[in-house]
Amino acid sequence: MATIFPREEKAEMLFDKILANPEACRRLKRTFYDAIDSGDEFVTENLPAKQFTAALFDAYENKDLTAFLMAVCQNSMFDLLRNAFLIPFKFNADGQTNPYFLTDEEGKLLENLPIHVKEKEYEKFRKVYQKRDKVKMYLAHGYKKRHYYDSETMETQEYKMGEHDGVLLIYELPDTVKEKKTEAEAYAAVWDIMMELQKELPNSVVYYGQDFLQEEGKRFDEMGVFLPLEHFSDRLERHIEKADQIVYGK
């Protein structure tokens, strides 16, 4: 039988990097246990005993770790990695807009936004906005998510969490598709940058798009560094400079 989600190809390189880093291992373990502890507060009811048991047996029979994790802690394998800030979020994963751009490339608010933008947040963004080559800056709305079983239908559902407005910095990176890298290999290639960002800018969120950007006939991978204003409002300009230094290795 098929697994719930397609398996990531060549994920071993990424897993090896995580295993070799004690802090990454601690972060993943903490995220796993936090997810279990928050089960009673989760937006959905915990699975009834029979459905829980069936989910465990299905996971065993299909050798599907994600099915097991969803039954135990309402997270897929890669939910845990993303929510532990160990791999990037995909731009617009599963056809859903994330992050949601609130401004255009000139730093002006877009019209007819489905999300209310606080005037104070926009003013703070305008104070730091710069138009630069190879780095684009936006005010954006982003979120994390997790997957779980519906307690009645046992269908896979998504739950959004950690929704924030913040400054989104988008960087052009070398095209990994031409190098025939899988998505997991691409994540491994930017993993050191992610770990440095979490060390220097805790609670920043990294987005990644493989072969996502096209300019002047050239294709680029795109990495976004999202700085939620809830955490980075103070000294915002300095935080942006720090992100630039980390991404470009200065």
Side-chain angles (χ1 to χ4, degrees):
M1 296 177 66
T3 56
I4 290 180
F5 297 118
R7 294 186 184 277
E8 295 285 348
E9 296 181 16
K10 299 184 179 180
E12 294 82 3
M13 183 185 300
L14 174 63
F15 293 166
D16 286 345
K17 279 184 169 289
I18 294 173
L19 280 169
N21 187 295
E23 172 57 26
C25 294
R26 284 192 291 269
R27 195 182 302 165
L28 181 57
K29 180 181 177 181
R30 184 167 59 247
T31 302
F32 172 73
Y33 282 110
D34 285 348
I36 292 177
D37 291 341
S38 66
D40 292 337
E41 302 171 4
F42 189 45
V43 70
T44 62
E45 298 179 0
N46 289 333
L47 288 179
K50 184 174 181 178
Q51 284 88 332
F52 175 83
T53 303
L56 290 186
F57 290 169
D58 285 344
Y60 176 80
E61 291 174 356
N62 298 324
K63 299 180 180 179
D64 189 349
L65 177 60
T66 280
F68 169 76
L69 290 172
M70 285 173 54
V72 172
C73 66
Q74 296 91 36
N75 278 268
S76 72
M77 178 65 193
F78 277 74
D79 286 342
L80 286 175
L81 292 175
R82 290 188 177 96
N83 293 330
F85 302 103
L86 296 177
I87 63 172
F89 286 81
K90 293 172 63 176
F91 279 108
N92 302 334
D94 304 321
Q96 300 175 5
T97 302
N98 184 30
Y100 199 101
F101 290 73
L102 304 176
T103 57
D104 60 18
E105 292 189 8
E106 303 295 328
K108 298 178 181 178
L109 276 178
L110 296 172
E111 297 181 356
N112 302 318
L113 290 170
I115 298 168
H116 174 68
V117 179
K118 297 178 181 177
E119 185 176 347
K120 184 182 296 185
E121 290 184 345
Y122 181 60
E123 289 177 356
K124 187 170 288 290
F125 167 76
R126 286 299 305 176
K127 288 180 180 179
V128 299
Y129 172 79
Q130 295 178 1
K131 190 171 183 179
R132 299 177 292 171
D133 293 335
K134 295 188 177 182
V135 183
K136 297 179 180 179
M137 185 183 299
Y138 301 90
L139 184 66
H141 179 86
Y143 60 87
K144 299 187 292 181
K145 65 181 179 180
R146 61 200 297 183
H147 293 83
Y148 64 94
Y149 289 116
D150 184 276
S151 60
E152 295 183 359
T153 67
M154 292 299 291
E155 295 292 325
T156 300
Q157 305 291 332
E158 290 183 349
Y159 171 59
K160 294 181 182 179
M161 58 187 188
E163 298 190 53
H164 294 294
D165 292 344
V167 174
L168 177 66
L169 307 169
I170 295 185
Y171 302 89
E172 296 177 6
L173 294 176
D175 181 13
T176 55
V177 173
K178 292 179 181 177
E179 300 171 17
K180 299 181 179 179
K181 289 187 176 179
T182 66
E183 189 170 274
E185 288 177 305
Y187 289 171
V190 300
W191 194 79
D192 292 337
I193 295 176
M194 285 193 60
M195 292 301 291
E196 186 66 17
L197 283 166
Q198 281 304 307
K199 178 182 176 182
E200 299 293 336
L201 299 170
N203 296 307
S204 61
V205 179
V206 174
Y207 290 88
Y208 193 81
Q210 199 172 25
D211 206 29
F212 192 75
L213 181 66
Q214 182 169 354
E215 289 186 0
E216 299 179 356
K218 297 181 180 180
R219 300 190 70 85
F220 301 91
D221 282 11
E222 196 172 46
M223 186 173 79
V225 178
F226 182 62
L227 303 175
L229 290 174
E230 178 180 348
H231 302 294
F232 296 99
S233 181
D234 294 336
R235 298 185 295 176
L236 181 57
E237 190 169 8
R238 185 177 299 181
H239 296 316
I240 292 171
E241 291 175 357
K242 175 58 70 174
D244 289 346
Q245 292 169 2
I246 293 171
V247 172
Y248 289 125
K250 296 180 180 179

